[in-house]
Amino acid sequence: MGRDLPKLLAAGRARTVLEQLPILDADGLPDEAVHRAMLLLSFFGHAYVHQTWRTASAQRLPSVLARPWAQVARRLGRPPVLSYASYALDNWRRLDPHGPIGLGNLVLLQNFLGGLDEEWFVTVHVEIEAEAAAALVALPLAQQAAASGNRPALEAALAAVVASMGRMHQTLQRMPENCDPYIYYNRVRPFIHGWQQAPVVYEGVAEYEEAPQTFYGETGAQSTIVPCLDAVLGIGHQPDELRTYLRGMRTYMPPPHVAFLDRLEEGPSVRAFVAGADDTELRGVYNAAVAGVEAFRSTHLEYAARYIQKQAQVGVNSTVYGTGGTPFMRYLKKHRDETRRHRLDH
């Protein structure tokens, strides 16, 4: 079914075929198969609801999809909706198994319509996640160094964060190479919307009692990379709708990722240590790390304007709200500007 999904969507027959699937019991799946089941069921569920953006979205999911989807989601500690973990983190393979996790060697395991733009959009995110690994390793080391007063170790950890952020940003800047804004907006984005504005009934799922469910759609805000950087660098944001929304996105993240983020947020303050240290070089590398987060947010803001806001359409694929359901432009600008103000040379 996963292999045929792009063809069935192109023919407008996905719903008909999905309804004919057998009712599968997902509780007996071995642990190593659950992520794959979640990936497939998430694509099937969104394909069923959003089969075509030219007609109304489905308001009910048949039990053949809803029941196993709810089962695997429960085991993973996430809602039964397409999330970043299934759309990107678990949805790739290397062409050369001995080659890098990078563009040119990455392909998706599952698509909606398929094509270069969809493939590139997601694999760019996968490479960013791979490039972020060095920063995620360095962040707790930076906190440990700050707690022990080890300035050389702290400077080295922050330098690793800066280098990692630079590679992440370079990858993000490659998005326009093979992902056209019009194609993204009209052929990729419609399928990743959730049902925050148009609730969906999950037939046969006892705990929902036939009540329509409202879940947010897939979004990069469900990645822990930037929240982890904010946590260790001490980048705070004043209360707003986006901050509340971002907090809510943690329920869509893999629980081990959230646990890692929570530990970083509870850890010692790197920012306070750097601010109190009379060390120009240490302050410089800290500011470079903050500038890296700002640059990443600035490019993301530019893409939000180019890929969404300027694609003047209305309806479920509205330019006012992101796939997660927030009025994104206003708050993305605010969070970028707040990041800039956290440099210690201001």
Side-chain angles (χ1 to χ4, degrees), residues 120-344:
W120 189 259
F121 174 71
V122 184
T123 53
V124 163
H125 286 80
V126 174
E127 180 173 297
I128 289 172
E129 293 284 337
E131 295 293 5
L136 294 174
V137 169
L139 291 175
L141 298 179
Q143 288 186 322
Q144 293 167 18
S148 63
N150 188 335
R151 293 190 187 185
L154 177 55
E155 186 174 337
L158 289 174
V161 171
V162 172
S164 178
M165 283 295 302
R167 294 191 296 271
M168 288 166 54
H169 191 213
Q170 286 178 346
T171 299
L172 181 62
Q173 289 176 311
R174 295 189 63 186
M175 184 66 78
E177 288 182 23
N178 290 311
C179 185
D180 178 84
Y182 177 88
I183 299 298
Y184 165 77
Y185 190 81
N186 291 282
R187 297 289 184 267
V188 178
R189 187 174 185 260
F191 291 103
I192 62 179
H193 279 284
W195 17 99
Q196 183 67 14
Q197 280 89 35
V200 171
V201 172
Y202 287 68
E203 294 180 348
V205 179
E207 60 262 41
Y208 294 157
E209 300 178 337
E210 292 293 304
Q213 302 299 304
T214 57
F215 295 127
Y216 287 108
E218 188 281 332
T219 167
Q222 293 160 358
S223 168
T224 50
I225 295 173
V226 173
C228 286
L229 290 163
D230 279 351
V232 173
L233 297 174
I235 299 172
H237 301 284
Q238 293 300 311
D240 59 41
E241 187 178 349
L242 181 59
R243 194 178 79 162
T244 302
Y245 161 77
L246 291 174
R247 188 75 192 183
M249 286 300 97
R250 299 187 185 200
T251 62
Y252 295 76
M253 299 173 179
H257 294 200
V258 179
F260 179 73
L261 172 57
D262 288 342
R263 287 197 298 272
L264 293 180
E265 290 183 333
E266 294 166 1
S269 173
V270 168
R271 179 180 173 80
F273 180 86
V274 175
D278 185 17
D279 189 325
T280 302
E281 291 185 0
L282 181 60
R283 182 170 293 213
V285 71
Y286 170 84
N287 285 336
V290 174
V293 179
E294 179 195 346
F296 194 84
R297 281 192 160 114
S298 292
T299 299
H300 180 243
L301 175 62
E302 175 193 338
Y303 289 166
R306 189 191 314 178
Y307 282 78
I308 302 174
Q309 190 181 51
K310 292 182 181 179
Q311 305 302 312
Q313 292 187 11
V314 295
V316 69
N317 207 17
S318 168
T319 59
V320 177
Y321 292 92
T323 51
T326 58
F328 58 92
M329 289 298 295
R330 182 195 333 160
Y331 296 126
L332 290 178
K333 290 176 182 176
K334 175 177 174 290
H335 283 214
R336 177 204 59 189
D337 295 342
E338 287 172 338
T339 301
R340 180 183 301 125
R341 290 195 290 270
H342 278 78
R343 295 190 199 183
L344 288 173

Side-chain angles (χ1 to χ4, degrees), residues 94-109:
R94 287 179 278 199
L95 293 170
D96 175 2
H98 304 293
I101 303 174
L103 296 169
N105 197 42
L106 285 171
V107 293
L108 299 186
L109 300 175

